Structures are given as C-alpha cells and as structure tokens.
Amino acid sequence: MVAATVSDGGRGPERWRSAQRGLSRLLVRDVRGLRRLIIPSRLARSMPDWFAAVQAVVDQYAQASAALGADFYDGQRAEAGVPGSFTVPVEDPPPPEKTEASLRWAVKDVWERDPDAPQTTAAQQEPLEVRLVQAEKKAELVAQKLVADTGRGTVLEAVRQDRQATAWARSAALGACAFCRLLATRGAVYKRDTVDFRAHDGCHCGVLPVFAGQRFELSDKAKEWERLYQQYAAPHSGDQLRRFRRVLAEHDPNPLPGSF
C-alpha cells in the first residue's frame, strides 16, 4: 500500500542530507590535503598535477555520492510501497572537462596580472599567498557542488525514468540559505521531466521523489519559511529574495549559512 504522504522533513531526506554533508566534509579534507602540490614558485608546472589530483578525488567522491542517491531513492520507493521493480540509473562522475573548467575558474585569480591593467580585480592585486588561500576555498566549494550534483542527478534521473514517480520536491536543511529555503517552500511542483535543479556552490539540498498515489506535505520548518515569505516578502515584486533573506535573519532561529 502506498504511503499516503511524503514530506521534506521525513527521516529519509534528513538521513540523506546528513550523509551527503558527511561526504562533503571528507571531500574538503582530501582536496585541502592536495594544496601541497601547488608550488608558488612554479605555478605553471605544478598546477596541472594539482588539477589531475583533484579530478581523481572528485571522481571518487562523486561515485560515492551517486551511490548514496541511489540508496536513498530505493529507500523512498520501498517506503512508498509502489508496485514493480526499478533499477536506479547511477550517474557517472562529472566529465573531466567540466571539473577542469570549474577548477580553472577557482584559481583564475592566482596568476600574476599587470596591476595597471584595467581588467585587474582587487583579488588579483592581493599577495600570492592570499590568492592561493582564496583559490583553495573556491576549489573546495566547486568540488563539493560537482560531487553533490552527481547524487542529486542520480535521483532526478530515477524520477524521470521511473513510471511510478510523478514529481519531486526540494529538501532543504534548517541552516540552508534563503534561496534554497524559498525553493523548498514550493513543494512538489517539479514534474518528472523537470531535470533542472538550481544549486549553488556549497549547496546541500536534496531531491525528494514523490510517487503515484502520494501527497506531498511541507515540513513544519518549510511551512514557517512559507509563512515568513508570504507575509514579509511576496508583496514586494522584484525585491522578494532580499526581503526574505532579511526576515530570515531577523525571525528564524537557524542562522543563514556562511560556509559548510
């Protein structure tokens, strides 16, 4: 018998987010450990080795993220009690060119620039060690997104292929950013063929499948986010997100994130 309701506050979504956050912490630890491969006096020669090493780490953790996503989907499907069998299509790690492009963006300010050139940014004028620290933080964030997207992509593709799935909802944690909390209040409005999941670097939101015969119900925390949004932000066209961010900072006991 199909479970009547499913919520973003259920035990399954909470466990999956917790597992993905744990994976992210281990990923950041390993990416940070590769910093030694970048030799400041030989950037052009040492950076390719760093790219390759981070690529290998991202691939390893992306596979683990995809496995977590598949296990989560199987668990939600079993809990829903839908008939028939289904094999979750496990997503591959991100293409090498995508990972390299993300990492090149992260380190773009490391390279020396002409301080008098008009395109030089304030970040590029910082001492090299400062630029390296900033690049490392950006690299950790983009690596986290690449890995988390692989798990989310696994669930999204499963929803698309599974005839028993009808929609999906965004599952956000208590400490999520205003953008993610706002999207989470929309509920299961994303249909089977909606594959676009809007995520930012450091995003830990999950994808919650909804199956035929189920009714989606917002968690208590998401209901409160919706109330705050409707009362303080919705009437102000063009300024909703800024106002929502401000009201969360003022009224929500869970602080907006600074980092993961």
Side-chain angles (χ1 to χ4, degrees):
M1 185 176 184
V2 176
T5 61
V6 61
S7 172
D8 59 299
R11 288 178 297 176
E14 293 287 352
R15 285 197 299 265
W16 185 34
R17 284 199 306 267
S18 177
Q20 289 283 13
R21 289 182 72 91
L23 196 67
S24 291
R25 285 192 289 269
L26 294 175
L27 168 70
V28 168
R29 178 203 65 188
D30 288 354
V31 170
R32 194 169 292 169
L34 297 174
R35 166 66 174 80
R36 69 185 186 279
L37 297 177
I38 300 178
I39 303 173
S41 61
R42 292 189 294 157
L43 281 180
R45 291 186 179 182
S46 61
M47 197 66 79
D49 291 338
W50 179 79
F51 282 144
V54 176
Q55 171 82 60
V57 169
V58 167
D59 286 353
Q60 174 189 352
Y61 278 94
Q63 291 172 354
S65 179
L68 286 175
D71 289 345
F72 166 70
Y73 190 88
D74 284 340
Q76 291 299 116
R77 200 177 194 277
E79 187 174 320
V82 295
S85 61
F86 177 75
T87 301
V88 177
V90 178
E91 182 128 323
D92 291 329
E97 59 271 17
K98 182 175 182 179
T99 301
E100 182 172 343
S102 298
L103 294 174
R104 286 191 180 280
W105 172 84
V107 302
K108 64 182 177 61
D109 290 335
V110 167
W111 308 102
E112 292 292 342
R113 301 292 179 93
D114 182 354
D116 296 324
Q119 69 272 22
T120 302
T121 66
Q124 292 164 347
Q125 296 178 11
E126 295 285 352
L128 177 57
E129 282 305 315
V130 174
R131 302 200 306 274
L132 285 171
V133 170
Q134 293 171 342
E136 180 181 38
K137 292 179 179 177
K138 290 179 180 178
E140 293 167 5
L141 288 170
V142 298
Q144 183 276 334
K145 184 178 184 299
L146 290 166
V147 166
D149 280 349
T150 309
R152 288 187 286 250
T154 295
V155 179
L156 285 171
E157 185 60 20
V159 170
R160 192 183 71 82
Q161 293 190 23
D162 189 354
R163 293 185 178 182
Q164 295 295 336
T166 59
W168 57 272
R170 191 184 191 97
S171 171
L174 282 170
C177 71
F179 169 80
C180 292
R181 296 191 209 189
L182 177 58
L183 293 183
T185 66
R186 296 178 179 176
V189 298
Y190 308 102
K191 302 307 178 185
R192 284 181 59 194
D193 57 351
T194 307
V195 295
D196 180 31
F197 187 99
R198 301 176 65 190
H200 53 80
D201 293 344
C203 178
H204 294 283
C205 288
V207 181
L208 177 61
V210 180
F211 297 95
Q214 282 189 317
R215 178 176 59 85
F216 177 81
E217 185 176 282
L218 285 177
S219 62
D220 289 342
K221 67 176 184 289
K223 289 177 182 176
E224 176 61 10
W225 298 337
E226 183 181 36
R227 184 191 70 81
L228 291 172
Y229 177 77
Q230 293 298 332
Q231 182 175 350
Y232 295 99
H236 304 276
S237 178
D239 196 30
Q240 288 100 331
L241 184 58
R242 186 188 69 83
R243 286 177 176 270
F244 186 51
R245 186 180 294 111
R246 186 174 68 184
V247 74
L248 286 173
E250 294 175 352
H251 295 278
D252 194 295
N254 301 287
L256 294 171
S259 66
F260 63 86

